[in-house]
Amino acid sequence: QVQLQESGPGLVKPSETLSLTCTVSGASINTNYWTWIRQPPGKGLDWIGYIYDTVNIDSNPSLKSRVTMSLDTSKNQFSLNLISVTAADTAVYYCARRGLPGGFDYWGQGSLVIVSS
Amino acid sequence: QSALTQPPSASGSPGQSVTISCTGTSSDVGAYNYVSWYQQHPGKAPTLMIYEVNKRPSGVPDRFSGSKSGNTASLTVSGLQAEDEADYYCSSHAGSSKFVFGTGTKVTVL
């Protein structure tokens, strides 16, 4: 059974970098599109971006200048870095697998990140 | 890329049907058959209910069905049950492996 688990700091100061890691079990990180999605408190879902391998990476145009993503195949993990955060980046961050055509079939439980001094 | 438009709320009595619309543009919903739908209960991660417009993942009841016409996709929940009360989000491929989500619809079972 495929499982995803987000990990990282729950509190980040404004202007600093938000860093999250998603650990995958039950599937190889070398296949499928691995995705980050966020949800501000009380609001809807926002697609952040995906990573397929070290070359195929893309992100939401609204976040592109601040987002980097990477894979660690030795640990079966993928990561998200979001630089220069503001309060508007406060959200529950989900990692997910796009394992079906256009469908995110497995999700992590979500990690709440609050941006505050 | 702008969020897809969904009605904020929808409701129905147990046993009835409810249909949720998801309106995009000719660059996302209208261009691709990669529309999916997600159910989210409070405090939980979303769950995939429909992918590729009208396909159900294993384990999703056939009470859930999807369709698309032009730039608008729809999710229909037939035979409403209490556990169907949740938020529902649509999503569409928007070109170059990018995706966009809908604004979300809260479904209430009366």
Side-chain angles (χ1 to χ4, degrees), chain A residues 21-47:
Chain A
T21 296
C22 183
T23 301
V24 179
S25 59
S28 171
I29 203 78
N30 292 310
T31 59
N32 295 126
Y33 288 79
W34 302 98
T35 303
W36 290 98
I37 294 159
R38 69 180 183 178
Q39 185 172 35
K43 296 188 178 181
L45 300 169
D46 189 24
W47 181 82

PDB file of all heavy atoms in Angstrom, chain A residues 21-47:
ATOM      1  N   THR A  21       9.669  17.793   3.545  1.00  0.00           N
ATOM      2  CA  THR A  21      10.067  16.532   2.914  1.00  0.00           C
ATOM      3  C   THR A  21       8.885  15.582   2.943  1.00  0.00           C
ATOM      4  O   THR A  21       8.124  15.565   3.914  1.00  0.00           O
ATOM      5  CB  THR A  21      11.268  15.917   3.651  1.00  0.00           C
ATOM      6  OG1 THR A  21      12.393  16.785   3.517  1.00  0.00           O
ATOM      7  CG2 THR A  21      11.616  14.545   3.091  1.00  0.00           C
ATOM      8  N   CYS A  22       8.741  14.817   1.890  1.00  0.00           N
ATOM      9  CA  CYS A  22       7.702  13.801   1.800  1.00  0.00           C
ATOM     10  C   CYS A  22       8.381  12.441   1.667  1.00  0.00           C
ATOM     11  O   CYS A  22       9.143  12.205   0.716  1.00  0.00           O
ATOM     12  CB  CYS A  22       6.806  14.065   0.603  1.00  0.00           C
ATOM     13  SG  CYS A  22       5.424  12.905   0.436  1.00  0.00           S
ATOM     14  N   THR A  23       8.125  11.567   2.627  1.00  0.00           N
ATOM     15  CA  THR A  23       8.684  10.215   2.597  1.00  0.00           C
ATOM     16  C   THR A  23       7.638   9.262   2.029  1.00  0.00           C
ATOM     17  O   THR A  23       6.499   9.226   2.510  1.00  0.00           O
ATOM     18  CB  THR A  23       9.096   9.768   3.999  1.00  0.00           C
ATOM     19  OG1 THR A  23      10.068  10.677   4.507  1.00  0.00           O
ATOM     20  CG2 THR A  23       9.688   8.363   3.962  1.00  0.00           C
ATOM     21  N   VAL A  24       8.030   8.513   1.006  1.00  0.00           N
ATOM     22  CA  VAL A  24       7.127   7.614   0.303  1.00  0.00           C
ATOM     23  C   VAL A  24       7.449   6.161   0.645  1.00  0.00           C
ATOM     24  O   VAL A  24       8.610   5.760   0.642  1.00  0.00           O
ATOM     25  CB  VAL A  24       7.247   7.819  -1.224  1.00  0.00           C
ATOM     26  CG1 VAL A  24       6.322   6.856  -1.971  1.00  0.00           C
ATOM     27  CG2 VAL A  24       6.927   9.260  -1.599  1.00  0.00           C
ATOM     28  N   SER A  25       6.431   5.386   0.945  1.00  0.00           N
ATOM     29  CA  SER A  25       6.594   3.947   1.141  1.00  0.00           C
ATOM     30  C   SER A  25       5.579   3.226   0.264  1.00  0.00           C
ATOM     31  O   SER A  25       4.509   3.754  -0.034  1.00  0.00           O
ATOM     32  CB  SER A  25       6.412   3.569   2.612  1.00  0.00           C
ATOM     33  OG  SER A  25       5.133   3.954   3.058  1.00  0.00           O
ATOM     34  N   GLY A  26       5.943   2.033  -0.172  1.00  0.00           N
ATOM     35  CA  GLY A  26       5.044   1.240  -1.003  1.00  0.00           C
ATOM     36  C   GLY A  26       5.096   1.569  -2.483  1.00  0.00           C
ATOM     37  O   GLY A  26       4.342   0.986  -3.266  1.00  0.00           O
ATOM     38  N   ALA A  27       5.958   2.483  -2.885  1.00  0.00           N
ATOM     39  CA  ALA A  27       6.134   2.847  -4.291  1.00  0.00           C
ATOM     40  C   ALA A  27       7.520   3.449  -4.461  1.00  0.00           C
ATOM     41  O   ALA A  27       8.071   4.025  -3.523  1.00  0.00           O
ATOM     42  CB  ALA A  27       5.085   3.849  -4.751  1.00  0.00           C
ATOM     43  N   SER A  28       8.055   3.316  -5.664  1.00  0.00           N
ATOM     44  CA  SER A  28       9.378   3.866  -5.939  1.00  0.00           C
ATOM     45  C   SER A  28       9.261   5.321  -6.353  1.00  0.00           C
ATOM     46  O   SER A  28       8.431   5.695  -7.185  1.00  0.00           O
ATOM     47  CB  SER A  28      10.062   3.075  -7.054  1.00  0.00           C
ATOM     48  OG  SER A  28      11.244   3.730  -7.453  1.00  0.00           O
ATOM     49  N   ILE A  29      10.151   6.128  -5.803  1.00  0.00           N
ATOM     50  CA  ILE A  29      10.184   7.554  -6.114  1.00  0.00           C
ATOM     51  C   ILE A  29      10.662   7.771  -7.544  1.00  0.00           C
ATOM     52  O   ILE A  29      10.529   8.869  -8.101  1.00  0.00           O
ATOM     53  CB  ILE A  29      11.101   8.287  -5.106  1.00  0.00           C
ATOM     54  CG1 ILE A  29      10.746   9.742  -5.015  1.00  0.00           C
ATOM     55  CG2 ILE A  29      12.551   8.113  -5.450  1.00  0.00           C
ATOM     56  CD1 ILE A  29       9.536   9.981  -4.183  1.00  0.00           C
ATOM     57  N   ASN A  30      11.217   6.728  -8.180  1.00  0.00           N
ATOM     58  CA  ASN A  30      11.753   6.850  -9.532  1.00  0.00           C
ATOM     59  C   ASN A  30      10.683   6.853 -10.618  1.00  0.00           C
ATOM     60  O   ASN A  30      10.995   7.085 -11.787  1.00  0.00           O
ATOM     61  CB  ASN A  30      12.729   5.702  -9.818  1.00  0.00           C
ATOM     62  CG  ASN A  30      13.992   5.811  -8.983  1.00  0.00           C
ATOM     63  OD1 ASN A  30      14.617   6.868  -8.941  1.00  0.00           O
ATOM     64  ND2 ASN A  30      14.374   4.732  -8.325  1.00  0.00           N
ATOM     65  N   THR A  31       9.442   6.582 -10.230  1.00  0.00           N
ATOM     66  CA  THR A  31       8.347   6.595 -11.195  1.00  0.00           C
ATOM     67  C   THR A  31       7.243   7.492 -10.685  1.00  0.00           C
ATOM     68  O   THR A  31       7.193   7.828  -9.503  1.00  0.00           O
ATOM     69  CB  THR A  31       7.780   5.184 -11.436  1.00  0.00           C
ATOM     70  OG1 THR A  31       7.320   4.660 -10.179  1.00  0.00           O
ATOM     71  CG2 THR A  31       8.851   4.270 -11.999  1.00  0.00           C
ATOM     72  N   ASN A  32       6.336   7.871 -11.522  1.00  0.00           N
ATOM     73  CA  ASN A  32       5.184   8.726 -11.215  1.00  0.00           C
ATOM     74  C   ASN A  32       5.588  10.189 -11.023  1.00  0.00           C
ATOM     75  O   ASN A  32       6.749  10.516 -10.830  1.00  0.00           O
ATOM     76  CB  ASN A  32       4.424   8.269  -9.974  1.00  0.00           C
ATOM     77  CG  ASN A  32       3.775   6.919 -10.166  1.00  0.00           C
ATOM     78  OD1 ASN A  32       3.972   6.003  -9.405  1.00  0.00           O
ATOM     79  ND2 ASN A  32       2.989   6.785 -11.213  1.00  0.00           N
ATOM     80  N   TYR A  33       4.593  11.042 -11.046  1.00  0.00           N
ATOM     81  CA  TYR A  33       4.748  12.462 -10.821  1.00  0.00           C
ATOM     82  C   TYR A  33       4.436  12.742  -9.358  1.00  0.00           C
ATOM     83  O   TYR A  33       3.335  12.478  -8.887  1.00  0.00           O
ATOM     84  CB  TYR A  33       3.791  13.255 -11.712  1.00  0.00           C
ATOM     85  CG  TYR A  33       4.168  13.267 -13.171  1.00  0.00           C
ATOM     86  CD1 TYR A  33       3.897  12.181 -13.989  1.00  0.00           C
ATOM     87  CD2 TYR A  33       4.796  14.378 -13.736  1.00  0.00           C
ATOM     88  CE1 TYR A  33       4.239  12.194 -15.333  1.00  0.00           C
ATOM     89  CE2 TYR A  33       5.142  14.403 -15.076  1.00  0.00           C
ATOM     90  CZ  TYR A  33       4.869  13.300 -15.868  1.00  0.00           C
ATOM     91  OH  TYR A  33       5.212  13.319 -17.192  1.00  0.00           O
ATOM     92  N   TRP A  34       5.390  13.278  -8.633  1.00  0.00           N
ATOM     93  CA  TRP A  34       5.242  13.574  -7.216  1.00  0.00           C
ATOM     94  C   TRP A  34       4.952  15.056  -7.074  1.00  0.00           C
ATOM     95  O   TRP A  34       5.667  15.898  -7.614  1.00  0.00           O
ATOM     96  CB  TRP A  34       6.483  13.132  -6.456  1.00  0.00           C
ATOM     97  CG  TRP A  34       6.744  11.681  -6.651  1.00  0.00           C
ATOM     98  CD1 TRP A  34       7.618  11.113  -7.522  1.00  0.00           C
ATOM     99  CD2 TRP A  34       6.056  10.599  -6.011  1.00  0.00           C
ATOM    100  NE1 TRP A  34       7.538   9.743  -7.461  1.00  0.00           N
ATOM    101  CE2 TRP A  34       6.588   9.401  -6.541  1.00  0.00           C
ATOM    102  CE3 TRP A  34       5.049  10.521  -5.046  1.00  0.00           C
ATOM    103  CZ2 TRP A  34       6.151   8.136  -6.128  1.00  0.00           C
ATOM    104  CZ3 TRP A  34       4.620   9.266  -4.632  1.00  0.00           C
ATOM    105  CH2 TRP A  34       5.162   8.091  -5.175  1.00  0.00           C
ATOM    106  N   THR A  35       3.919  15.360  -6.317  1.00  0.00           N
ATOM    107  CA  THR A  35       3.296  16.676  -6.377  1.00  0.00           C
ATOM    108  C   THR A  35       3.181  17.306  -4.997  1.00  0.00           C
ATOM    109  O   THR A  35       3.023  16.608  -3.988  1.00  0.00           O
ATOM    110  CB  THR A  35       1.883  16.542  -6.982  1.00  0.00           C
ATOM    111  OG1 THR A  35       1.971  15.923  -8.267  1.00  0.00           O
ATOM    112  CG2 THR A  35       1.199  17.884  -7.126  1.00  0.00           C
ATOM    113  N   TRP A  36       3.245  18.645  -4.962  1.00  0.00           N
ATOM    114  CA  TRP A  36       2.960  19.412  -3.751  1.00  0.00           C
ATOM    115  C   TRP A  36       1.703  20.248  -3.984  1.00  0.00           C
ATOM    116  O   TRP A  36       1.566  20.898  -5.030  1.00  0.00           O
ATOM    117  CB  TRP A  36       4.134  20.305  -3.373  1.00  0.00           C
ATOM    118  CG  TRP A  36       5.326  19.543  -2.878  1.00  0.00           C
ATOM    119  CD1 TRP A  36       6.429  19.183  -3.596  1.00  0.00           C
ATOM    120  CD2 TRP A  36       5.524  19.027  -1.554  1.00  0.00           C
ATOM    121  NE1 TRP A  36       7.307  18.487  -2.794  1.00  0.00           N
ATOM    122  CE2 TRP A  36       6.774  18.373  -1.535  1.00  0.00           C
ATOM    123  CE3 TRP A  36       4.778  19.066  -0.366  1.00  0.00           C
ATOM    124  CZ2 TRP A  36       7.294  17.759  -0.392  1.00  0.00           C
ATOM    125  CZ3 TRP A  36       5.283  18.449   0.762  1.00  0.00           C
ATOM    126  CH2 TRP A  36       6.525  17.814   0.746  1.00  0.00           C
ATOM    127  N   ILE A  37       0.826  20.233  -2.999  1.00  0.00           N
ATOM    128  CA  ILE A  37      -0.434  20.972  -3.034  1.00  0.00           C
ATOM    129  C   ILE A  37      -0.605  21.614  -1.670  1.00  0.00           C
ATOM    130  O   ILE A  37      -0.234  21.019  -0.660  1.00  0.00           O
ATOM    131  CB  ILE A  37      -1.603  20.000  -3.322  1.00  0.00           C
ATOM    132  CG1 ILE A  37      -1.475  19.419  -4.742  1.00  0.00           C
ATOM    133  CG2 ILE A  37      -2.962  20.695  -3.145  1.00  0.00           C
ATOM    134  CD1 ILE A  37      -2.242  18.123  -4.957  1.00  0.00           C
ATOM    135  N   ARG A  38      -1.138  22.823  -1.619  1.00  0.00           N
ATOM    136  CA  ARG A  38      -1.334  23.463  -0.317  1.00  0.00           C
ATOM    137  C   ARG A  38      -2.767  23.980  -0.181  1.00  0.00           C
ATOM    138  O   ARG A  38      -3.479  24.155  -1.167  1.00  0.00           O
ATOM    139  CB  ARG A  38      -0.334  24.594  -0.098  1.00  0.00           C
ATOM    140  CG  ARG A  38      -0.543  25.820  -0.975  1.00  0.00           C
ATOM    141  CD  ARG A  38       0.527  26.872  -0.664  1.00  0.00           C
ATOM    142  NE  ARG A  38       0.322  28.094  -1.438  1.00  0.00           N
ATOM    143  CZ  ARG A  38       1.091  29.165  -1.326  1.00  0.00           C
ATOM    144  NH1 ARG A  38       2.134  29.172  -0.474  1.00  0.00           N
ATOM    145  NH2 ARG A  38       0.843  30.253  -2.052  1.00  0.00           N
ATOM    146  N   GLN A  39      -3.150  24.212   1.077  1.00  0.00           N
ATOM    147  CA  GLN A  39      -4.503  24.670   1.373  1.00  0.00           C
ATOM    148  C   GLN A  39      -4.454  25.652   2.530  1.00  0.00           C
ATOM    149  O   GLN A  39      -4.301  25.251   3.698  1.00  0.00           O
ATOM    150  CB  GLN A  39      -5.398  23.477   1.721  1.00  0.00           C
ATOM    151  CG  GLN A  39      -6.854  23.826   1.935  1.00  0.00           C
ATOM    152  CD  GLN A  39      -7.726  22.596   2.074  1.00  0.00           C
ATOM    153  OE1 GLN A  39      -7.310  21.579   2.631  1.00  0.00           O
ATOM    154  NE2 GLN A  39      -8.944  22.675   1.562  1.00  0.00           N
ATOM    155  N   PRO A  40      -4.564  26.939   2.248  1.00  0.00           N
ATOM    156  CA  PRO A  40      -4.620  27.932   3.336  1.00  0.00           C
ATOM    157  C   PRO A  40      -5.809  27.642   4.242  1.00  0.00           C
ATOM    158  O   PRO A  40      -6.818  27.088   3.785  1.00  0.00           O
ATOM    159  CB  PRO A  40      -4.794  29.261   2.595  1.00  0.00           C
ATOM    160  CG  PRO A  40      -4.267  29.004   1.217  1.00  0.00           C
ATOM    161  CD  PRO A  40      -4.614  27.582   0.925  1.00  0.00           C
ATOM    162  N   PRO A  41      -5.723  27.989   5.505  1.00  0.00           N
ATOM    163  CA  PRO A  41      -6.814  27.705   6.443  1.00  0.00           C
ATOM    164  C   PRO A  41      -8.150  28.227   5.940  1.00  0.00           C
ATOM    165  O   PRO A  41      -8.281  29.400   5.589  1.00  0.00           O
ATOM    166  CB  PRO A  41      -6.370  28.444   7.708  1.00  0.00           C
ATOM    167  CG  PRO A  41      -4.887  28.495   7.610  1.00  0.00           C
ATOM    168  CD  PRO A  41      -4.589  28.638   6.151  1.00  0.00           C
ATOM    169  N   GLY A  42      -9.140  27.343   5.878  1.00  0.00           N
ATOM    170  CA  GLY A  42     -10.480  27.720   5.462  1.00  0.00           C
ATOM    171  C   GLY A  42     -10.650  27.990   3.982  1.00  0.00           C
ATOM    172  O   GLY A  42     -11.709  28.452   3.547  1.00  0.00           O
ATOM    173  N   LYS A  43      -9.615  27.704   3.190  1.00  0.00           N
ATOM    174  CA  LYS A  43      -9.675  28.002   1.757  1.00  0.00           C
ATOM    175  C   LYS A  43      -9.499  26.736   0.919  1.00  0.00           C
ATOM    176  O   LYS A  43      -9.453  25.626   1.428  1.00  0.00           O
ATOM    177  CB  LYS A  43      -8.615  29.042   1.406  1.00  0.00           C
ATOM    178  CG  LYS A  43      -8.850  30.388   2.090  1.00  0.00           C
ATOM    179  CD  LYS A  43      -7.893  31.436   1.571  1.00  0.00           C
ATOM    180  CE  LYS A  43      -8.179  32.779   2.229  1.00  0.00           C
ATOM    181  NZ  LYS A  43      -7.267  33.850   1.735  1.00  0.00           N
ATOM    182  N   GLY A  44      -9.423  26.924  -0.396  1.00  0.00           N
ATOM    183  CA  GLY A  44      -9.360  25.806  -1.322  1.00  0.00           C
ATOM    184  C   GLY A  44      -7.946  25.314  -1.580  1.00  0.00           C
ATOM    185  O   GLY A  44      -6.966  25.801  -1.020  1.00  0.00           O
ATOM    186  N   LEU A  45      -7.862  24.302  -2.443  1.00  0.00           N
ATOM    187  CA  LEU A  45      -6.598  23.666  -2.773  1.00  0.00           C
ATOM    188  C   LEU A  45      -5.847  24.466  -3.836  1.00  0.00           C
ATOM    189  O   LEU A  45      -6.457  25.035  -4.752  1.00  0.00           O
ATOM    190  CB  LEU A  45      -6.854  22.247  -3.284  1.00  0.00           C
ATOM    191  CG  LEU A  45      -7.566  21.312  -2.316  1.00  0.00           C
ATOM    192  CD1 LEU A  45      -8.002  20.034  -3.037  1.00  0.00           C
ATOM    193  CD2 LEU A  45      -6.666  20.963  -1.141  1.00  0.00           C
ATOM    194  N   ASP A  46      -4.527  24.473  -3.719  1.00  0.00           N
ATOM    195  CA  ASP A  46      -3.683  25.233  -4.630  1.00  0.00           C
ATOM    196  C   ASP A  46      -2.540  24.326  -5.082  1.00  0.00           C
ATOM    197  O   ASP A  46      -1.758  23.849  -4.253  1.00  0.00           O
ATOM    198  CB  ASP A  46      -3.139  26.462  -3.908  1.00  0.00           C
ATOM    199  CG  ASP A  46      -2.428  27.433  -4.834  1.00  0.00           C
ATOM    200  OD1 ASP A  46      -2.716  27.428  -6.055  1.00  0.00           O
ATOM    201  OD2 ASP A  46      -1.576  28.200  -4.344  1.00  0.00           O
ATOM    202  N   TRP A  47      -2.439  24.056  -6.389  1.00  0.00           N
ATOM    203  CA  TRP A  47      -1.388  23.204  -6.927  1.00  0.00           C
ATOM    204  C   TRP A  47      -0.082  23.972  -6.921  1.00  0.00           C
ATOM    205  O   TRP A  47       0.017  25.056  -7.508  1.00  0.00           O
ATOM    206  CB  TRP A  47      -1.760  22.779  -8.351  1.00  0.00           C
ATOM    207  CG  TRP A  47      -0.795  21.872  -9.036  1.00  0.00           C
ATOM    208  CD1 TRP A  47      -0.695  20.526  -8.895  1.00  0.00           C
ATOM    209  CD2 TRP A  47       0.213  22.253  -9.990  1.00  0.00           C
ATOM    210  NE1 TRP A  47       0.316  20.039  -9.705  1.00  0.00           N
ATOM    211  CE2 TRP A  47       0.876  21.070 -10.384  1.00  0.00           C
ATOM    212  CE3 TRP A  47       0.620  23.460 -10.549  1.00  0.00           C
ATOM    213  CZ2 TRP A  47       1.927  21.061 -11.312  1.00  0.00           C
ATOM    214  CZ3 TRP A  47       1.651  23.459 -11.470  1.00  0.00           C
ATOM    215  CH2 TRP A  47       2.296  22.269 -11.841  1.00  0.00           C
TER     216      TRP A  47
END
